[in-house]
Coordinates of all heavy atoms in Angstrom, one line a residue:
R156 N -122.5 -216.7 16.9 CA -121.3 -216.1 17.3 C -120.1 -216.8 16.8 O -119.8 -217.8 17.2 CB -121.2 -215.9 18.8 CG -120.2 -215.2 19.4 CD -120.4 -215.2 20.9 NE -119.2 -214.7 21.6 CZ -118.7 -215.1 22.7 NH1 -119.2 -216.1 23.3 NH2 -117.7 -214.4 23.3
T157 N -119.5 -216.3 15.6 CA -118.2 -216.8 15.2 C -117.1 -216.1 15.9 O -117.2 -214.9 16.2 CB -118.1 -216.7 13.7 OG1 -118.1 -215.3 13.3 CG2 -119.2 -217.5 12.9
I158 N -116.1 -216.8 16.2 CA -114.9 -216.3 17.1 C -113.6 -216.8 16.3 O -113.4 -218.0 16.2 CB -114.9 -216.9 18.4 CG1 -116.2 -216.5 19.1 CG2 -113.8 -216.4 19.2 CD1 -116.5 -217.3 20.5
S159 N -112.7 -215.9 16.0 CA -111.5 -216.2 15.4 C -110.4 -215.0 15.7 O -110.8 -213.9 16.0 CB -111.7 -216.4 13.8 OG -112.1 -215.2 13.2
T160 N -109.1 -215.4 15.6 CA -108.2 -214.5 15.7 C -108.3 -213.3 14.8 O -108.5 -213.5 13.6 CB -106.8 -215.1 15.5 OG1 -106.7 -216.4 16.4 CG2 -105.6 -214.3 15.8
G161 N -108.2 -212.1 15.2 CA -108.2 -211.0 14.4 C -109.6 -210.3 14.4 O -109.7 -209.2 14.2
S162 N -110.6 -211.1 14.8 CA -111.9 -210.4 15.0 C -112.1 -209.6 16.3 O -111.4 -209.8 17.1 CB -113.1 -211.5 14.8 OG -113.0 -212.4 15.8
I163 N -113.2 -208.9 16.2 CA -113.3 -208.0 17.5 C -114.3 -209.0 18.5 O -115.3 -209.5 18.1 CB -114.2 -206.8 17.2 CG1 -113.3 -205.8 16.2 CG2 -114.5 -205.9 18.4 CD1 -112.1 -205.4 16.7
Y164 N -113.9 -209.0 19.8 CA -114.7 -209.8 20.7 C -115.9 -209.1 21.0 O -116.1 -208.1 21.2 CB -113.7 -209.8 22.0 CG -114.5 -210.4 23.2 CD1 -114.6 -211.8 23.3 CD2 -115.1 -209.7 24.2 CE1 -115.2 -212.4 24.3 CE2 -115.8 -210.1 25.2 CZ -115.9 -211.6 25.3 OH -116.4 -212.2 26.5
S165 N -116.9 -209.9 21.0 CA -118.3 -209.7 21.5 C -118.7 -210.6 22.5 O -118.3 -211.8 22.5 CB -119.2 -209.6 20.4 OG -119.5 -210.8 19.8
G166 N -119.2 -210.2 23.7 CA -119.5 -211.1 24.8 C -120.6 -212.1 24.3 O -121.3 -212.1 23.3
P167 N -120.8 -213.2 25.2 CA -121.7 -214.1 24.9 C -123.2 -213.7 25.1 O -123.3 -212.6 25.6 CB -121.4 -215.2 26.1 CG -120.9 -214.4 27.2 CD -120.1 -213.3 26.4
P168 N -124.1 -214.3 24.6 CA -125.5 -214.0 24.7 C -125.8 -213.7 26.2 O -125.3 -214.3 27.1 CB -126.3 -215.1 24.2 CG -125.4 -216.1 23.5 CD -124.0 -215.6 23.9
V169 N -126.7 -212.7 26.4 CA -127.1 -212.4 27.9 C -127.8 -213.6 28.4 O -128.6 -214.2 27.7 CB -128.0 -211.2 27.8 CG1 -128.4 -210.7 29.2 CG2 -127.2 -210.0 27.1
N170 N -127.6 -213.8 29.8 CA -128.2 -214.9 30.5 C -129.7 -214.4 30.7 O -129.9 -213.5 31.4 CB -127.5 -215.1 31.8 CG -128.0 -216.3 32.5 OD1 -129.0 -216.8 32.2 ND2 -127.4 -216.7 33.6
L171 N -130.6 -215.1 30.2 CA -132.0 -214.8 30.2 C -132.8 -215.5 31.5 O -133.9 -215.2 31.5 CB -132.8 -215.0 28.9 CG -132.2 -214.4 27.7 CD1 -133.0 -214.8 26.4 CD2 -132.5 -212.8 28.0
K172 N -132.0 -216.2 32.2 CA -132.7 -216.8 33.4 C -133.0 -215.8 34.4 O -132.5 -214.7 34.5 CB -131.7 -217.8 34.0 CG -131.5 -219.1 33.1 CD -130.3 -219.9 33.8 CE -130.2 -221.2 32.8 NZ -129.1 -221.9 33.5
K173 N -134.1 -216.1 35.2 CA -134.5 -215.2 36.2 C -133.4 -214.9 37.3 O -132.9 -216.0 37.8 CB -135.8 -215.7 36.8 CG -136.4 -214.9 37.9 CD -137.6 -215.5 38.4 CE -138.2 -214.8 39.5 NZ -139.3 -215.4 40.2
Q174 N -133.1 -213.8 37.6 CA -132.0 -213.5 38.5 C -132.7 -213.5 40.0 O -133.8 -213.0 40.1 CB -131.3 -212.3 38.2 CG -130.6 -212.4 37.0 CD -129.6 -211.3 36.7 OE1 -129.3 -210.6 37.7 NE2 -128.9 -211.1 35.6
P175 N -131.9 -213.9 41.0 CA -132.5 -213.9 42.3 C -132.7 -212.4 42.8 O -132.0 -211.5 42.3 CB -131.5 -214.5 43.2 CG -130.2 -214.7 42.3 CD -130.6 -214.4 40.9
R176 N -133.5 -212.2 43.7 CA -133.9 -211.0 44.4 C -133.6 -210.9 45.8 O -133.6 -212.1 46.5 CB -135.5 -210.7 44.1 CG -135.9 -210.6 42.8 CD -137.4 -210.1 42.7 NE -138.3 -210.5 43.7 CZ -139.1 -211.6 43.8 NH1 -139.2 -212.2 42.5 NH2 -139.7 -211.9 44.7

Side-chain angles (χ1 to χ4, degrees):
R156 185 174 175 222
T157 58
I158 304 167
S159 62
T160 303
S162 61
I163 301 298
Y164 172 81
S165 63
V169 177
N170 186 353
L171 298 176
K172 293 181 181 175
K173 183 180 174 185
Q174 296 200 6
R176 297 187 325 261

